[in-house]
Every structure is written in structure tokens, then in C-alpha cells.
Amino acid sequence: CTSLTLWTNRGEICCVTIMTQLNDLIEALREELQQYGEMLARFDDGAANNVPDTAQDAPVWVQTFQEQQEIVELTLRRREQVQRRLADCLCLPAEAVLTEIIPLLPRPHQMVVGALMDENKELSARVQQRANQRRQLPQPSFDLTENRSAAA
């Protein structure tokens, strides 16, 4: 089944291509995973090669992390939008978290979305851990906002 008609919480008919919404969610979760990986790579690269030697070098180094942080935030917002649309089509509140959405998905997709959610949570935690470690080093600091995990 690629299309399904459901009643939304507002009583309107929601006639959507569920598989399209689901594929959009999977793509958004994959993109989120990629951006967390990019952030970790920036940490690794900074630790190995790009730790600024002087205060003059610090702005470029910090800017690299801030740019990636912005990309991560945009990716999270996109995934949250896609997640809200899918939740609405499944007659769930827009604020539904993935753990509420997953049981309503076709079984093969439950496993894919669940695995991506778990991987994103793990990478988000690793990014936050690295950020906290960086804050403790006597080097130019930068601020990473708390990352929302895929389950949120």
C-alpha cells in the first residue's frame, strides 16, 4: 500500500502517500547521521591537525565547528518537520516522538527507522561528549548547543 486516507486530529481528511512521508523521514535521519559524523570528523581533525597555536588562528578553527553546528541544527529542524508531517498523517499529535511513530510503521521500516534513531542518539551523545572534553582543554573555546537526539 503506497497511499492511505486517514482522519487527522483536526478532523480533516489526510490523503497522503505514506511511503513518501516515510522515505522522507528515513532520508532526514540518514542526513542527520551524516552531519553528526561530520561533526565528529571535525573534532578528530582538530585534535590531530588544526589545534590553533596562536590566538590569531583560533577564529578560523572555531568557525569550522560553528559552521558544522549550524548544519547539524538545520538538519535536525528538517528531520523534525518531516517527523511532524508523518505523525500528522498517522493521526498522532505533531509532537509525537519517534518511539511513538515507529510501532505504526510497516515492520521492515520499523527496523530501519529504529536503527537510524539509535545511531543518531549514539552519535549525538558522542558529539556532546567531545564538546564537553574540548571545553575542558586550555585551548580556544567554542560553544555547542545541546544536541537534540533523534528520539526527541
Side-chain angles (χ1 to χ4, degrees):
C1 176
T2 59
S3 182
L4 182 61
T5 301
L6 297 170
W7 288 95
T8 66
N9 296 337
R10 295 180 301 277
E12 303 165 321
I13 294 179
C14 177
C15 183
V16 298
T17 304
I18 294 293
M19 293 309 293
T20 299
Q21 296 292 330
L22 183 51
N23 288 334
D24 287 350
L25 178 63
I26 290 169
E27 180 61 32
L29 286 165
R30 286 182 176 145
E31 179 65 19
E32 186 177 338
L33 187 66
Q34 179 179 340
Q35 295 309 320
Y36 281 134
E38 288 290 328
M39 183 62 100
L40 287 172
R42 302 259 172 123
F43 279 118
D44 290 342
D45 189 44
N49 304 316
N50 295 329
V51 176
D53 295 322
T54 67
Q56 194 174 36
D57 297 334
V60 173
W61 184 72
V62 171
Q63 183 179 356
T64 300
F65 288 99
Q66 290 172 338
E67 289 170 357
Q68 185 61 33
Q69 177 185 349
E70 290 173 14
I71 293 169
V72 168
E73 287 296 320
L74 287 171
T75 303
L76 286 169
R77 284 196 294 274
R78 179 180 177 275
R79 192 258 306 151
E80 290 168 347
Q81 284 180 322
V82 171
Q83 184 175 319
R84 282 191 295 274
R85 285 196 312 262
L86 181 59
D88 188 52
C89 290
L90 294 171
C91 297
L92 292 172
E95 303 80 29
V97 294
L98 286 175
T99 54
E100 296 171 309
I101 293 172
I102 290 172
L104 301 177
L105 302 177
R107 192 160 306 277
H109 292 90
Q110 289 177 8
M111 294 170 55
V112 170
V113 173
L116 287 168
M117 177 189 72
D118 291 343
E119 288 180 57
N120 279 327
K121 284 173 60 175
E122 180 183 322
L123 282 184
S124 174
R126 287 177 54 197
V127 164
Q128 196 58 45
Q129 179 184 22
R130 291 279 185 89
N132 291 338
Q133 289 171 348
R134 282 282 180 193
R135 284 187 192 109
Q136 296 171 0
L137 294 177
Q139 298 170 358
S141 64
F142 55 92
D143 184 32
L144 286 177
T145 59
E146 182 174 317
N147 290 313
R148 298 180 302 261
S149 69

